Amino acid sequence: MAPEDIQQRVLRAFQEEHREHIAGIRSILRGWPSLKGEDLEEMLRMAHSMKGGARVCDLEVVERLTHDLEQVFSELGKKGEVPDEGQRRRIERVMAAVEDYMAVLAGGGQPEVPVEAFAELGLRVPSRVQREMEEMPVPAVKPEGKVGKVAKQDTLRVSATHLDRLLQSSSQVLAQSMQQHGVGVELQEVAAVLDDLQRQCDVVRSRGEEALSPKVSGPGTLQELQRGMAKLSRVVRGLRTQQQQSARALRVLSGRLQQDVRDARMVPAGSVFEGFPKMVRDMAGDEGKEVEFVVSGMEREVDRLVLQGLKDAVMHTLRNAVTHGIESRVARESAGKNPVGRIGLELEVTGNRVVLKVWDDGRGLNVDFIRRRSLEAGLVSEDEARAMSAEEVRAMVFQPGFSTRKRATSSAGRGMGMSVVREAVVRLQGQVAVRPGVPSGTVVEMVAPLSAATHRLLLVKAAGQVFAIPSGAIQRLLRVKQELVETVDGKAAVWMDGQAVLLAGLADVLGVGKAELVVEAGGVRVVVMSILGRRLAVAVDGWVKEMDALLLPLPYPASASPFFSGGVVMEDGSVTLVVQAAELMERFKGKGLSYREEDVAALMEEARRPVILVVDDSFTARTLQKNILETEGYEVRLAVDGVQALAALRTGRFDAVVSDIQMPHMDGFELLESMKRDARLKEVPVVLVTSLNSEEDQMRGLSLGADAYLVKQKFDHKDLLGVIRQLV
């Protein structure tokens, strides 16, 4: 490994280490002034570790700052004293300077020496660093006049592993595309045979009945035509098989290439959000407040485009937390709170969604005050204001024009902050909500897709058109019995989990036609959407399929509709509109009603889950694949060999088969051949998961009709799930 690679690894490790130690010191200081001797020893240990790590990374500025931190804790420990107010501020100033310096490094920049911080702390800049500063050339003064601007190029660091995977996937796609040349050659042969048959037909017509006699042979006879037709049939069958195999392989490889590109865009959240600690400190200083900023989950990887899209939303929310949430020192002390306010930024990844929470321990939201300000701003009428629930009142902070301040300042009062938050999150097909903190304060929760490269969508029919609904907003699919649709406060509703959930026709909501309930098998097809605790049941004419697709912006006037967030291009070239789930929910703000479970009969039948047959003679392999698939919501059946699998397939209904190859009685190749010969089973997708990794075995599996071939030595559950999602 090259020395520069080792240095980068060590630096990345120190990035994590310094964050952990600073968070640890802040956690202990939270108990100030009631600190114990062991608290000082622990903070001394963490400061010493940071200094050692900085020395290894050759970061003299950080080493000098953490040395000062170490000295403060060492002197306090010797005297058996706790930090006074001045020392506590010094500790915070040192940690802030270290954080700012390391944040610039994490972003790939060259940090400047924090001269002001050194001066405030009475520290000398390290001599080598001082010499480097003095030797830096003074930039030349540019002559006045119009100078052309150079566009700033956006860059993204991609790991060598991701590049290798991209190269491998693109090479396989190229190899498959080259095979299409062979299809072209075969098509030329088909054209030649057709031309020859046309000539034979012309001769037959000219010779009359004589040419139709089975006893006559040679050019221009019935026998010659039959031989030509047989040859054409053989060529077409072979061509069809070749095209099907190539199409399957290209489908799998394209999905893999798409996943590789998606992975290459994943970056640690901290690389985009690194500047927030300094921003919060600076804003708190401007407001005359003391704030401790706590972050977690910044090491989790998220699509960089999603993080960039959320950055402004997080910034505005943090600004609101400092300006409106955290009270002044006097107010906090009089309320019996710690004089230092706390603001947190937490990031979690759940499935294919990223959840961001910005919280504070401040005064919280005053529902009555928000209701009054909404009325004063003309955002609601008096009747609407009185009828709003507490949840609906809190949601008013996201409305354009709403502000709790009557005068604008440099950081608040223009009525734009939280509306910008909602717009940014909704633009990413996400949702945002606000709720009270426990025991005090406010929590703003944003949920967005983990990746912006593609979106998982459910295609549905309504009023003769096809629309797409983001899968992340769908709680479940149901077939509701028509006679069990009830009326609550004059609106259609269905009972679900102890609540009456409003039922609306998708065509009605979107304004594309009058919805008529389409009843099939005694039930109405319903999509239940859920966004941050709120639900809406939407009746559709039918479910079409699920798909992963790239969301494209819509041209005007379609872009002016609040109900559509974009479009996706279908296989036939048509464009399907993607429903903006958050706006749909905003139009129907229904509150559920409680009921006694024993008073209401079962109303709905769950839509059938896809059933996967896993075939493997290894108990461990069967169990692993079963757990992976069931975790994603699939129903799984098991078989120990091809014979047992074939019997299950002929008596049950399966959406896909995941099979090993090397098995007793009947191996995976034989099972695949048997399925392709069976008219009822030949269309069932088959994924081979095996330890046979030779190119010959892979080609044999694909030539027999396998839809995908995964090697166990390189087995990744994401690959299996990705293939199953494409096939089922």
Side-chain angles (χ1 to χ4, degrees):
M1 184 180 296
E4 55 269 22
D5 293 335
I6 297 175
Q7 181 68 13
Q8 285 300 316
R9 287 195 175 190
V10 172
L11 184 58
R12 283 197 296 270
F14 182 65
Q15 286 281 7
E16 293 297 324
E17 182 187 13
H18 96 273
R19 291 192 193 103
E20 291 177 5
H21 289 325
I22 287 179
I25 293 173
R26 285 202 174 111
S27 177
I28 294 173
L29 284 177
R30 208 170 295 143
W32 182 86
S34 302
L35 299 179
K36 301 176 182 178
E38 53 264 32
D39 294 330
L40 292 171
E41 290 178 7
E42 180 64 13
M43 289 191 289
L44 174 62
R45 183 194 65 79
M46 288 188 279
H48 181 74
S49 295
M50 277 196 289
K51 185 178 79 169
R55 183 182 297 121
V56 171
C57 295
D58 198 24
L59 301 174
E60 287 194 68
V61 170
V62 178
E63 182 184 352
R64 184 67 188 87
L65 289 168
T66 50
H67 175 72
D68 180 74
L69 203 60
E70 182 184 34
Q71 282 189 316
V72 172
F73 293 137
S74 178
E75 290 298 323
L76 289 170
K78 290 177 182 177
K79 298 176 182 178
E81 299 175 351
V82 299
D84 57 27
E85 178 65 19
Q87 289 168 324
R88 187 181 67 81
R89 289 177 181 274
R90 183 184 186 90
I91 294 168
E92 280 292 346
R93 185 69 182 94
V94 170
M95 292 194 297
V98 171
E99 283 181 319
D100 294 344
Y101 193 90
M102 295 301 297
V104 176
L105 275 179
Q110 181 58 46
E112 296 181 358
V113 178
V115 178
E116 290 184 7
F118 273 87
E120 287 178 28
L121 297 167
L123 302 177
R124 292 181 58 187
V125 176
S127 55
R128 192 187 74 176
V129 176
Q130 183 68 44
R131 285 196 303 272
E132 290 175 354
M133 291 171 58
E134 293 170 353
E135 292 171 1
M136 286 181 63
V138 178
V141 179
K142 294 182 180 180
E144 294 184 2
K146 191 173 182 180
V147 181
K149 292 184 178 179
V150 179
K152 182 182 178 181
Q153 293 186 339
D154 202 6
T155 59
L156 173 66
R157 290 184 177 182
V158 180
S159 70
T161 302
H162 284 145
L163 279 178
D164 290 342
R165 286 171 54 186
L166 280 171
L167 181 60
Q168 183 180 13
S169 296
S170 59
S171 298
Q172 290 175 325
V173 171
L174 178 61
Q176 283 295 328
S177 65
M178 291 176 66
Q179 289 187 13
Q180 297 302 306
H181 176 71
V183 175
V185 173
E186 295 285 345
L187 286 172
Q188 288 180 348
E189 184 177 348
V190 170
V193 173
L194 285 172
D195 290 342
D196 185 58
L197 286 174
Q198 183 61 54
R199 287 192 296 270
Q200 297 285 348
C201 287
D202 293 340
V203 174
V204 168
R205 278 196 294 269
S206 65
R207 294 180 61 179
E209 293 185 4
E210 177 190 357
L212 299 178
S213 173
K215 297 179 180 180
V216 180
S217 61
T221 64
L222 179 62
Q223 289 187 13
E224 193 68 21
L225 278 174
Q226 289 173 337
R227 279 194 291 271
M229 291 296 292
K231 180 180 179 181
L232 180 61
S233 178
R234 287 195 302 273
V235 173
V236 170
R237 281 199 303 270
L239 188 60
R240 180 175 179 272
T241 301
Q242 186 177 351
Q243 188 275 332
Q244 286 179 331
Q245 294 170 359
S246 182
R248 291 192 192 102
L250 277 174
R251 185 169 65 245
V252 174
L253 288 172
S254 297
R256 188 181 303 163
L257 181 60
Q258 188 179 63
Q259 182 62 48
D260 290 343
V261 173
R262 188 184 296 122
D263 290 344
R265 293 204 323 199
M266 304 293 275
V267 298
S271 65
V272 177
F273 294 162
E274 283 282 1
F276 287 146
K278 184 177 186 302
M279 183 198 80
V280 171
R281 285 197 306 272
D282 291 346
M283 288 190 62
D286 293 341
E287 293 280 333
K289 300 175 181 178
E290 286 190 73
V291 171
E292 176 191 352
F293 186 48
V294 183
V295 297
S296 64
M298 293 299 108
E299 74 284 354
R300 302 303 298 268
E301 290 194 341
V302 182
D303 189 329
R304 184 172 174 274
L305 291 182
V306 173
L307 292 173
Q308 291 286 8
L310 291 172
K311 188 174 182 179
D312 280 350
V314 175
M315 180 185 69
H316 283 293
T317 308
L318 289 172
R319 178 178 294 164
N320 261 29
V322 174
T323 306
H324 300 292
I326 300 298
E327 313 95 323
S328 67
R329 183 185 183 91
V330 174
R332 291 182 68 87
E333 288 178 337
S334 63
K337 290 184 174 182
N338 189 318
V340 179
R342 299 187 72 213
I343 295 176
L345 172 61
E346 298 177 2
L347 184 144
E348 299 174 357
V349 173
T350 305
N352 62 349
R353 313 288 283 177
V354 57
V355 181
L356 270 170
K357 295 178 184 177
V358 177
W359 56 265
D360 65 71
D361 68 347
R363 60 173 61 91
L365 295 176
N366 186 321
V367 173
D368 292 334
F369 180 69
I370 295 173
R371 194 192 307 269
R372 187 168 63 253
R373 288 291 295 153
S374 300
L375 186 60
E376 292 172 357
L379 299 176
V380 294
S381 66
E382 291 188 11
D383 291 340
E384 289 172 332
R386 281 194 297 269
M388 284 193 300
S389 65
E391 179 187 357
E392 290 171 332
V393 172
R394 285 192 291 268
M396 290 302 298
V397 301
F398 296 113
Q399 293 296 321
F402 179 86
S403 177
T404 57
R405 287 202 170 184
K406 295 185 178 181
R407 290 185 179 181
T409 67
S410 61
S411 60
R414 291 173 174 79
M416 294 176 60
M418 297 308 287
S419 67
V420 171
V421 171
R422 184 176 183 277
E423 289 169 8
V425 176
V426 168
R427 199 178 300 123
L428 289 168
Q429 282 289 332
Q431 306 98 40
V432 61
V434 60
R435 65 175 186 271
V438 178
S440 65
T442 306
V443 179
V444 177
E445 183 174 341
M446 309 172 208
V447 181
L450 185 62
S451 172
T454 56
H455 293 267
R456 188 71 174 167
L457 304 168
L458 173 69
L459 300 187
V460 299
K461 287 183 179 179
Q465 301 181 51
V466 176
F467 298 96
I469 301 176
S471 294
I474 298 174
Q475 185 182 53
R476 67 181 78 164
L477 304 179
L478 302 170
R479 199 188 302 274
V480 182
K481 295 179 181 179
Q482 187 181 19
E483 64 270 18
L484 295 176
V485 176
E486 300 188 6
T487 301
V488 177
D489 294 335
K491 298 178 181 179
V494 293
W495 289 102
M496 191 183 310
D497 304 327
Q499 288 187 324
V501 179
L502 288 184
L503 176 64
L506 183 60
D508 278 338
V509 179
L510 298 179
V512 296
K514 185 65 178 176
E516 296 182 2
L517 295 182
V518 177
V519 182
E520 292 181 358
V524 179
R525 292 178 185 265
V526 172
V527 178
V528 181
M529 296 192 296
S530 176
I531 296 180
L532 296 173
R534 291 167 50 196
R535 293 189 293 184
L536 174 67
V538 179
V540 298
D541 298 347
W543 306 314
V544 181
K545 66 175 181 178
E546 271 196 301
M547 65 180 292
D548 290 307
L550 178 65
L551 199 63
L552 300 175
L554 294 172
Y556 186 83
S559 60
S561 171
F563 296 124
F564 302 113
S565 59
V568 294
V569 179
M570 307 303 292
E571 294 175 356
D572 61 359
S574 63
V575 175
T576 294
L577 296 175
V578 179
V579 173
Q580 181 62 273
E583 289 294 337
L584 211 65
M585 298 289 290
E586 192 67 22
R587 181 166 177 175
F588 285 84
K589 297 179 180 177
K591 185 176 180 181
L593 306 175
S594 300
Y595 78 107
R596 291 188 307 162
E597 188 172 354
E598 60 267 26
D599 292 341
V600 182
L603 303 180
M604 293 155 283
E605 302 171 6
E606 286 277 0
R608 191 181 73 87
R609 292 188 297 164
V611 182
I612 312 297
L613 178 62
V614 173
V615 191
D616 202 307
D617 61 331
S618 166
F619 173 77
T620 302
R622 289 198 308 272
T623 303
L624 172 63
Q625 294 172 22
K626 180 176 185 290
N627 290 337
I628 290 171
L629 292 167
E630 286 184 339
T631 300
E632 288 296 307
Y634 297 105
E635 188 174 336
V636 180
R637 298 285 185 270
L638 301 175
V640 298
D641 57 35
V643 173
Q644 194 177 101
L646 203 56
L649 286 164
R650 286 172 174 164
T651 57
R653 179 181 173 185
F654 295 89
D655 296 281
V657 175
V658 177
S659 177
D660 187 18
I661 292 179
Q662 295 175 302
M663 297 180 294
H665 308 304
M666 178 187 286
D667 65 24
F669 288 142
E670 294 170 326
L671 171 63
L672 187 55
E673 287 181 303
S674 299
M675 290 178 63
K676 296 306 175 183
R677 287 196 300 266
D678 190 313
R680 195 176 72 85
L681 302 178
K682 65 180 181 180
E683 298 300 328
V684 177
V686 177
V687 180
L688 295 178
V689 181
T690 175
S691 58
L692 300 178
N693 60 358
S694 71
E695 186 175 346
E696 181 182 351
D697 288 320
Q698 293 184 40
M699 292 307 299
R700 183 184 176 190
L702 294 174
S703 65
L704 288 174
D707 293 87
Y709 193 106
L710 303 179
V711 179
K712 286 183 178 179
Q713 288 90 328
K714 302 177 182 178
F715 182 76
D716 186 332
H717 72 279
K718 293 181 181 177
D719 293 336
L720 175 61
L721 292 174
V723 170
I724 293 295
R725 276 196 291 266
Q726 292 181 49
L727 297 176
V728 176

